[in-house]
Amino acid sequence: MKKYDDELGKRINANIDADYAKFHSALILGKEIKGVRIPVLRQIAREFAVYDDFLQNVSLNSYENISIACYYIGLTCKDYRDLQPKLDFILPYIDNWAICDTFVSSLKCLKKDSRNNFIPVLYEYLQCGQCFANRFAIVALMTYYLKNGNLIEEIFNKIIVLQNADYYIDMAIAWLVSMAFVKDREVTLNLLKSNKLHPFVQNKSISKICDSFRVSKEDKELVKTLRVKVA
């Protein structure tokens, strides 16, 4: 048992919600989830953020512990230049979309103006061959970097080579494409018309675009014509 395991375990067990555990377990198959809600996990991470040695002294052997460690990184990493070593440490432990995506949203250091300097690191994670490290990079690029057409086109070129390798990667690509449509309609339309997307990704992207309240009815009808028929 590591230094903070007992204290952390007590905090987790004191906040178990059985109904939430049942609901969340249905979304993330194959994981034992105790049922601590995300805001509570974030609060627990804040409590442990005062300890500089927390990451090195906690067992990353449960959904809740890994989540808290991710949120701890989000809270304590103030500069993107300090982020890569922490990502190299934590990403191998992430094995589901829920922790991956909420981790991305917690990274305040990527909300700063200097964040563009971190793009090459995210591109490295796109090439690492690990499913959820790939997904992490895609979701981070979607969340923080869909700022202009030139960069969006560059990101498209980086992610399309990952298609058809894993369901969770394909879904992340489709999510990014749908968000890019809102940011730069023309660049994203060009991609949808290019036949560069795998049929599954193309059709999922279009479905997500059509689900968006930020896309006009006319554009939704337009992208529907770009659906690919799958035999």
Side-chain angles (χ1 to χ4, degrees), residues 8 12 39 44 69 78 118 121 123 129 162 173 192 204-205 223:
L8 184 62
I12 289 169
I44 295 172
K78 306 298 184 182
F118 199 70
V121 176
Y123 287 167
L162 298 174
I173 294 173
L192 293 171
K204 281 294 181 182
S205 299
V223 297

Side-chain angles (χ1 to χ4, degrees), residues 24 28 56:
H24 206 46
I28 308 172
Q56 292 72 37

Side-chain angles (χ1 to χ4, degrees), residues 207-221:
S207 293
K208 288 179 177 293
I209 291 169
C210 290
D211 289 340
S212 174
F213 66 88
R214 293 185 287 175
V215 177
S216 69
K217 180 179 179 181
E218 293 75 18
D219 277 344
K220 290 179 181 181
E221 293 302 316

Side-chain angles (χ1 to χ4, degrees), residues 4-45:
Y4 295 110
D5 286 354
D6 185 60
E7 185 180 353
L8 184 62
K10 289 177 181 177
R11 293 290 291 112
I12 289 169
N13 290 332
N15 287 279
I16 289 175
D17 182 329
D19 290 337
Y20 181 70
K22 183 178 180 180
F23 166 77
H24 206 46
S25 296
L27 298 177
I28 308 172
L29 301 178
K31 298 295 294 181
E32 181 181 350
I33 297 173
K34 291 186 176 180
V36 181
R37 293 179 181 271
I38 291 174
V40 178
L41 292 173
R42 292 188 189 276
Q43 177 56 40
I44 295 172

Side-chain angles (χ1 to χ4, degrees), residues 21-111:
K22 183 178 180 180
F23 166 77
H24 206 46
S25 296
L27 298 177
I28 308 172
L29 301 178
K31 298 295 294 181
E32 181 181 350
I33 297 173
K34 291 186 176 180
V36 181
R37 293 179 181 271
I38 291 174
V40 178
L41 292 173
R42 292 188 189 276
Q43 177 56 40
I44 295 172
R46 279 191 285 272
E47 294 169 11
F48 283 88
V50 298
Y51 303 120
D52 293 338
D53 62 343
F54 175 72
L55 283 182
Q56 292 72 37
N57 291 285
V58 65
S59 297
L60 299 177
N61 56 2
S62 72
Y63 179 92
E64 289 75 21
N65 282 28
I66 296 168
S67 296
I68 290 166
C70 288
Y71 302 147
Y72 171 93
I73 291 171
L75 288 165
T76 59
C77 189
K78 306 298 184 182
D79 191 314
Y80 75 89
R81 287 169 290 192
D82 300 325
L83 181 57
Q84 186 172 6
K86 292 179 173 62
L87 292 179
D88 289 343
F89 172 78
I90 198 68
L91 285 176
Y93 292 96
I94 297 176
D95 62 358
N96 65 85
W97 63 268
I99 293 178
C100 177
D101 297 357
T102 56
F103 179 32
V104 170
S105 68
S106 74
L107 293 171
K108 295 181 180 179
C109 64
L110 293 185
K111 296 179 181 179

